[in-house]
Amino acid sequence: NYPNPFNPTTTIHFSLPTSGNVKLTLYNPLGQEIKIIINEYKESGTHIINFDASDFNSGMYIYKLESGSLIQTRKMILLK
């Protein structure tokens, strides 16, 4: 995601080698699910998701991107 740290919006870029269902989930540092950002079918190629964290407290969050056998996790920091 860029920028990171961010306030209150950030952009998440990802590329898919094949079309399929994509799930992007946000977790707190304890591993509790906070929000499902997207859960939908996406075509192969590059995608951009704009995420607005206005309703969240400052701190570190973890997002997980799942598509087929691909699973990636990254950290993001919200500074208000």
Side-chain angles (χ1 to χ4, degrees):
N1 66 303
Y2 181 83
N4 192 15
F6 67 98
N7 177 26
T9 60
T10 188
T11 304
I12 300 169
H13 296 261
F14 61 92
S15 296
L16 298 175
T18 59
S19 302
N21 194 56
V22 175
K23 185 175 182 182
L24 183 61
T25 311
L26 185 67
Y27 297 90
N28 67 14
L30 300 175
Q32 298 166 324
E33 184 178 299
I34 303 296
K35 179 176 182 160
I36 296 175
I37 300 171
I38 62 167
N39 188 11
E40 59 190 45
Y41 184 86
K42 295 281 190 186
E43 295 293 330
S44 61
T46 302
H47 299 276
I48 299 171
I49 304 297
N50 294 312
F51 176 62
D52 184 357
S54 299
D55 298 337
F56 297 99
N57 295 324
S58 294
M60 184 190 76
Y61 294 89
I62 299 164
Y63 62 96
K64 179 167 75 169
L65 177 68
E66 300 173 84
S67 180
S69 62
L70 170 72
I71 299 175
Q72 290 187 339
T73 57
R74 300 284 186 267
K75 294 179 189 174
M76 64 170 72
I77 298 173
L78 171 61
L79 294 177
K80 287 191 176 183

